Amino acid sequence: MKIWLLSFKPWEARRSALAWVIALVSAALMALTGVGNELEQRLQNVRADLLERPASGEIVIVEIDGKSLQALDSWPWPRSYYADAVDKLSAAGAAQIAFDVDFSSESSREHDERFASAIANSAANVILPTFRQVRSPVQRAYVENRPIEMLRQHAFIASVNIHPDGNGQLSRYSFGTRTGGIARPSVASMLAERSGTIERTFAIDQSIDPASIPRLSFSDLLAARSPPAGLTGKKVLIGATAIELGDRYSLRRFGVTPGVVIQALAAETLIQNADIPHLGGFLPLGIAFSSMWLLVQFAHVSRRKRGVAVGAAGTGVALFGSVLVLEYYLVATFAGVPALFFLLSFAGLHKFSSTIGELETSQMSNEASGLPNEVALQEFIARHGPGNIVAARMADFTDLLVLTDRAARRDLFGNLSARLGFLAEDEQIFHLDANTVGWLVKKDYQDDIPGHFETAMALFQAPFMAGTQRVKIGATFGISNRSVDQAKVAAQQARVQDRKWCWDDAQAASAIGLKQILLVDLEEAIRNNQLHVVYQPKWNLHTDRLQGFEALIRWEHPVYGGIGPDVFIPVIEKSGRIDSLTLFVIRRTLSDLAQWDRQRPGLGCAVNISARLLGDSAFVQQAIALVEQSEVANQQITFEVTETAALDDPELSTVALGKIRDTGIKISIDDYGTGQSTMSYLQRLPVDEIKIDQSFVKTVTTNRGNRVMVESTIEMAHALGLTVVAEGIEDAECMRLLHTLRCDIAQGWHISKPVSAEIIASRWIADGDEQARLMA
């Protein structure tokens, strides 16, 4: 939160004294509270880049990677695989074999005994993991998850607990953990053969390049006919690096990193004696204070006003050079941000001795969080001029009230502000309502609002710290260039429309006023055929021919004209009529498809199914009956269900979708990539295809991250026998790239906008020159 200083009388002596006091006290508080840790971490990253060095080579990672998951049986693996791995590593002369794999539950007796026998007969010491976890969400007591007793008899037990900081990042690692009075050394300390006080932590040396740690694929290890070379005397760490298995954490320098690599980096830190002492922030702050005191005296005697600013800059450079040298020789390190803050703030206060504003009054801040409130935002806008205002509406905020107390929520909002700050003008986040924060979009992002929100959504992925508790927060975002209120309305519209973010526009504002009118007009709309079905063609990228269509509903209101489905579908859902509307769409689709099938047999058509209908057994039976009684084959019909809907209640979804799929009707997962699922999780559902959300497809040619996501999704889906549909294709370049990536089906405005059944019949069914029409 920005600090507004009191206005001072223009007395030179008093201004000078206040400059010293304010700068020193602020820097001391920063050193005490840890404010400025984000900048400290950035400086540490700079130093780590300059001091980067390779790993020792003593530790080898055996990766449970994507290649291994495809080569071996479906996950989880039988424990005979791990037994074979121990046998091979022992035969290869490994000194230690450590696992970062959960063995706390029993598998088959045969496989458990096989694994236990391999551990007992291993020439290498075998280390199995244990981890501490909270007994329940409402209790602070911890329990220990240990390997089953059969496996523990001839193995060493070590802790694999990892503790992210308030920003969801990892920077420190412990020598061990204590649970119920039992002390467990950490895997890293055992691999490094270094002892330390249990629960004491050390900084992971992020100047060690993780890419230099030797690695071996688990499947290659098992496939080797003879013991792998180069493992004699090595310490082997086995764990997951496959994306679909999760177990990933954020390192400040390397970003999202597999847990097993973090364990290896921690062990390397100890092996290389890089767990150097941290001198804190007060020693460099004292040096900075003393240097500036001498410089001020010199400047006062010589009357050099510029000497203070130049001296502050020189002192800052000297401090950075000093910590660089100390870290290079593995002597010590210290926090330089409080000292740098003191130098900058004192130099600024000394140069600008006039008043710099009044202290922010109580009515300018939110009492619950301590952040500036909406009044402060309005004043901020008045000072900075108009711009794009963002409102972020947090989901399930009532749950947070139950799980956290006042102090924890204050801490939560502080962490939230620190994480989102770099998106905002002057890095300033405002607490608008109980569950809403806001900011003015930073000028750097004004020309890339979608990119701004992609970053904002990414920042909400990692858990936030609320006191000692980690909490996961979802959010929808609204943006307006008119007012704070309109930004709030847009955020609410995003939630209602199940979108991540919304602009404040005329349609959204109009939709709110239309809600009650639409509820009244709905019955008449259905009776008078104001609701009609349009179809968007889907193109087969392998055969380069028409594959089928997606049926979409439209409402042509006699007074308000065309009303978008994102407006009226939620209204219909709330009115309890979404079942009858969906059956109406299915009937119309089956009727149109039957006519087209006489000229072009085999074309398919997809119909969207609302999330609310999966639990309605009567609807499921009616929908199946309509398809079975129609003139087209069941296999020509696909029911599309959003990823979020399928995963809200997986058990219920599996039963409902299984019943549908047993009749031959295909199941498609729509908007894939926007939820929290993994491909391996979706594998449990009875699904025929996935439909990659258009937010990834539209930028696949320009956004490297989205291209990687699309390419990996296609590869994994094909490995599971699923068809892949890409929606949102708007140009030929995108379509060519998707063809190169072996995507199956394409859909989007480049192929055709949604059109009426009559246009489909005349231009796509009767007229067979599809290639000419596509090129046009």
Side-chain angles (χ1 to χ4, degrees), residues 575-721:
S575 72
R577 294 300 308 276
I578 192 63
D579 55 345
S580 59
L581 177 64
T582 305
L583 293 172
F584 163 79
V585 175
I586 293 174
R587 290 190 190 96
R588 182 61 55 85
T589 299
L590 292 170
S591 174
D592 291 336
L593 187 59
Q595 295 183 39
W596 303 333
D597 199 53
R598 298 184 186 103
Q599 294 179 266
R600 290 286 301 274
L603 293 177
C605 196
V607 178
N608 291 286
I609 304 297
S610 169
R612 299 190 176 197
L613 296 178
L614 286 181
D616 187 342
S617 58
F619 166 81
V620 172
Q621 292 175 359
Q622 286 180 279
I624 292 173
L626 286 176
V627 176
E628 291 183 332
Q629 295 165 12
S630 70
E631 299 177 28
V632 299
N634 291 13
Q635 292 79 6
Q636 291 176 256
I637 297 298
T638 299
F639 286 173
E640 287 190 9
V641 183
T642 62
E643 178 187 9
T644 304
L647 298 176
D648 277 347
D649 191 338
E651 293 184 5
L652 180 64
S653 298
T654 300
V655 173
L657 297 178
K659 186 180 297 184
I660 295 170
R661 193 166 181 253
D662 287 344
T663 67
I665 300 171
K666 295 179 180 179
I667 302 297
S668 176
I669 296 297
D670 197 6
D671 299 337
Y672 180 78
T674 59
Q676 304 296 322
S677 68
T678 62
M679 186 68 69
S680 60
Y681 191 75
L682 283 180
Q683 186 184 6
R684 305 177 191 176
L685 296 172
V687 174
D688 298 283
E689 72 175 28
I690 61 170
K691 197 169 186 181
I692 303 177
D693 187 68
Q694 60 180 327
S695 62
F696 300 101
V697 176
K698 285 183 177 179
T699 57
V700 72
T701 59
T702 57
N703 185 305
R704 184 176 179 275
N706 284 350
R707 173 171 175 165
V708 171
M709 183 273 178
V710 170
E711 186 172 7
S712 62
T713 297
I714 293 172
E715 183 178 348
M716 288 188 290
H718 285 169
L720 297 174

Side-chain angles (χ1 to χ4, degrees), residues 293-482:
W293 180 267
L294 294 173
L295 284 168
V296 167
Q297 301 309 313
F298 175 77
H300 181 72
V301 172
S302 63
R303 297 185 179 181
R304 288 186 172 181
K305 294 184 179 180
R306 293 185 179 180
V308 174
V310 174
T315 303
V317 172
L319 285 172
F320 184 83
S322 299
V323 72
L324 198 65
V325 171
L326 291 172
E327 290 180 348
Y328 177 80
Y329 289 105
L330 302 178
V331 176
T333 187
F334 57 74
V337 168
L340 294 176
F341 178 81
F342 167 78
L343 293 169
L344 288 171
S345 59
F346 177 77
L349 289 167
H350 191 273
K351 183 177 180 180
F352 303 104
S353 57
S354 60
T355 60
I356 62 172
E358 294 184 356
L359 183 64
E360 189 175 23
T361 58
S362 59
Q363 64 264 30
M364 298 286 283
S365 64
N366 185 284
E367 184 180 358
S369 65
L371 293 176
N373 59 16
E374 185 171 341
V375 176
L377 175 55
Q378 299 289 6
E379 188 171 305
F380 187 84
I381 294 170
R383 288 197 313 274
H384 286 73
N388 288 323
I389 306 162
V390 172
R393 186 183 188 279
M394 290 172 283
D396 300 324
F397 192 77
T398 304
D399 293 346
L400 281 178
L401 297 178
V402 175
L403 295 174
T404 59
D405 58 20
R406 189 180 184 87
R409 287 194 293 277
R410 192 177 185 90
D411 180 55
L412 168 65
F413 278 102
N415 291 327
L416 181 71
S417 177
R419 193 181 296 183
L420 297 175
F422 77 92
L423 293 172
E425 190 68 29
D426 284 1
E427 299 189 0
Q428 187 63 70
I429 304 298
F430 300 85
H431 193 170
L432 307 181
D433 295 325
N435 65 341
T436 306
V437 297
W439 63 87
L440 207 61
V441 176
K442 198 172 185 178
K443 290 184 174 60
D444 298 350
Y445 293 96
Q446 293 287 4
D447 296 329
D448 185 17
I449 297 301
H452 175 89
F453 283 114
E454 285 181 14
T455 303
M457 286 182 276
L459 292 173
F460 271 90
Q461 291 299 312
F464 291 85
M465 292 303 298
T468 59
Q469 187 172 358
R470 298 171 70 210
V471 296
K472 192 73 182 294
I473 301 176
T476 55
F477 304 89
I479 182 169
S480 172
N481 54 17
R482 296 193 293 166

Side-chain angles (χ1 to χ4, degrees), residues 57 132 149 190 197 276 279 407 423 456 477 564 568 629 656 681 771:
R132 183 177 69 177
E149 183 178 358
M190 290 194 72
T197 305
I276 55 179
L279 303 179
L423 293 172
F477 304 89
F568 70 80
Q629 295 165 12
Y681 191 75
Q771 286 294 333

Side-chain angles (χ1 to χ4, degrees), residues 137-179:
V138 296
Q139 294 179 330
R140 292 182 177 270
Y142 292 94
V143 295
E144 185 182 42
N145 273 28
R146 298 180 296 169
I148 62 175
E149 183 178 358
M150 182 187 302
L151 303 180
R152 297 199 305 265
Q153 293 177 357
H154 297 283
F156 294 92
I157 306 299
S159 167
V160 292
N161 278 91
I162 290 177
H163 308 286
D165 62 20
N167 290 327
Q169 290 191 329
L170 280 169
S171 59
R172 302 190 66 80
Y173 189 93
S174 67
F175 278 97
T177 58
R178 186 183 303 277
T179 309

